[in-house]
Amino acid sequence: MTDYNETRLMNPFDIPGKKMGWCPGCGNYKILETLKEALHELGIDRRNLVIVSGIGQAAKTPQYVDTNMFNGLHGRALPAALGIKLSNRNLVVIAESGDGCMYGEGGNHFLHAIRRNIDITVLVHDNMIYGLTKGQASPTSRMGMTTPVQVNGVMLEPFNPLAVSLALDAPFVARASAGDGAQTKEIIKQAISFRGLSVVDIFQPCVVFNKLNTYQWFKENTYYLPDDYDPTDRQQAFAKSIETEKLPLGVLYCHEGRKVYEDLLGITRTPAYQRTVSDEAFEKMLAAYR
């Protein structure tokens, strides 16, 4: 039998001896390990994988995976991921950041990435706080939560990424929890294997700056969708997405067949650096701007 340490050493996405920038107990560790295990089990060639992030604690994740990465500006992971995918649609592209980076600064890009339906996977570490800047409320912070800035408590309803994704007809929408690595790994594997934009919101405790949404809080306030749940029913998925008493985990919605942006544009499988450039078309384009 292979033990856990031996399994880790066999994972080609590991970077042995890498110094980590996260606090002890941070949920990011579990998501990182879960992601690497999912990639390994899917048999993805790390030379054909690109992980893109913005800014934040979660956005450090690609730095700890032995593969290609792009760490860009705050909230700008998705446009970079779009450009990478359009330049070579043979690549597996994952955009990964926190709730602040993806839903706050990157909120506009999040909306339009869903509209375009690019064939990428969006993993959001949702700890309901800005951890890198030491604990301000994020778009998903609960009402009433106090922080060093929101000293009288958050006044606004939290952003609901699942309901928004479903309203814009994202073809794959799921929620996972870092406290359950096995289920999270299976959801991530489904998301990466799906053709089209897949959104996975992953609950993740911030053990230093969020004393409200702890591992125990997520355990007590979530539940898994039952085995007989039908993920092709969009209306049912939307009803689940707006539940507040307890928050559902699992694949809420999965709908095959929606055209991806790359097909709508007519992008070929030939990578951009191998495509033939038409001098005539190039001159015509330049002339249009003179």
Side-chain angles (χ1 to χ4, degrees):
M1 180 180 291
T2 303
D3 65 20
Y4 177 69
N5 289 329
E6 188 178 347
T7 302
R8 285 200 62 208
L9 290 173
M10 290 169 58
N11 192 317
F13 297 95
D14 281 344
I15 306 178
K18 182 74 173 179
K19 187 176 179 181
M20 312 294 280
W22 294 326
C23 305
C26 177
N28 285 330
Y29 287 103
K30 190 62 182 176
I31 298 175
L32 170 66
E33 291 305 319
T34 301
L35 172 65
K36 290 191 294 186
E37 288 174 11
L39 293 169
H40 186 34
E41 290 181 16
L42 287 171
I44 292 174
D45 187 334
R46 60 190 180 84
R47 296 168 296 184
N48 295 326
L49 170 69
V50 185
I51 305 180
V52 187
S53 67
I55 295 295
Q57 291 290 8
K60 294 175 182 174
T61 301
Q63 300 173 32
Y64 307 139
V65 183
D66 192 3
T67 188
N68 307 292
M69 61 158 285
F70 183 88
N71 191 195
L73 299 174
H74 206 354
R76 304 297 184 259
L78 288 170
L82 170 64
I84 291 166
K85 188 67 180 183
L86 293 182
S87 71
N88 185 351
R89 60 184 299 182
N90 301 313
L91 297 171
V92 175
V93 179
I94 297 174
E96 184 165 8
S97 274
D99 46 293
C101 185
M102 201 68 82
Y103 303 145
E105 286 81 359
N108 182 53
H109 299 301
F110 182 70
L111 300 180
H112 293 286
I114 295 172
R115 287 183 59 237
R116 292 187 175 101
N117 191 32
I118 325 158
D119 185 18
I120 65 172
T121 301
V122 182
L123 303 179
V124 185
H125 300 215
D126 189 353
N127 61 6
M128 306 175 180
I129 204 80
Y130 280 93
L132 185 67
T133 48
K134 303 186 177 180
Q136 300 82 14
S138 84
T140 56
S141 296
R142 305 288 99 174
M143 280 187 73
M145 179 183 185
T146 58
T147 78
V149 175
Q150 289 78 22
V151 293
N152 294 320
V154 174
M155 297 182 293
L156 305 175
E157 288 283 351
F159 178 74
N160 187 328
L162 303 188
V164 170
S165 298
L166 288 162
L168 292 171
D169 200 19
F172 186 100
V173 180
R175 177 186 277 146
S177 177
D180 187 344
Q183 290 292 332
T184 299
K185 181 172 67 177
E186 292 308 310
I187 291 171
I188 289 176
K189 287 168 68 174
Q190 288 184 54
I192 294 173
S193 302
F194 184 81
R195 187 171 187 270
L197 186 83
S198 52
V199 177
V200 184
D201 185 72
I202 308 173
F203 286 151
Q204 171 244 316
C206 173
V207 296
V208 174
F209 297 111
N210 186 343
K211 302 300 185 185
L212 172 64
N213 308 112
T214 61
Y215 283 100
Q216 188 63 30
W217 186 93
F218 284 118
K219 189 174 181 180
E220 293 174 352
N221 289 277
T222 59
Y223 74 96
Y224 278 101
L225 296 168
D227 291 339
D228 61 353
Y229 176 80
D230 179 8
T232 66
D233 186 334
R234 189 178 172 200
Q235 288 190 348
Q236 180 184 226
F238 191 82
K240 288 292 179 187
S241 75
I242 59 175
E243 290 182 356
T244 55
E245 187 174 347
K246 281 205 170 189
L247 305 168
L249 301 174
V251 178
L252 271 72
Y253 186 61
C254 181
H255 172 66
E256 304 275 358
R258 183 181 164 194
K259 280 196 173 182
V260 297
Y261 191 54
E262 303 91 296
D263 284 343
L264 293 172
L265 289 177
I267 302 291
T268 70
R269 288 279 173 188
T270 305
Y273 71 92
Q274 293 179 340
R275 293 174 200 158
T276 302
V277 178
S278 164
D279 292 338
E280 182 182 354
F282 184 67
E283 290 297 330
K284 188 176 179 180
M285 182 191 72
L286 288 180
Y289 291 98
R290 288 184 179 128

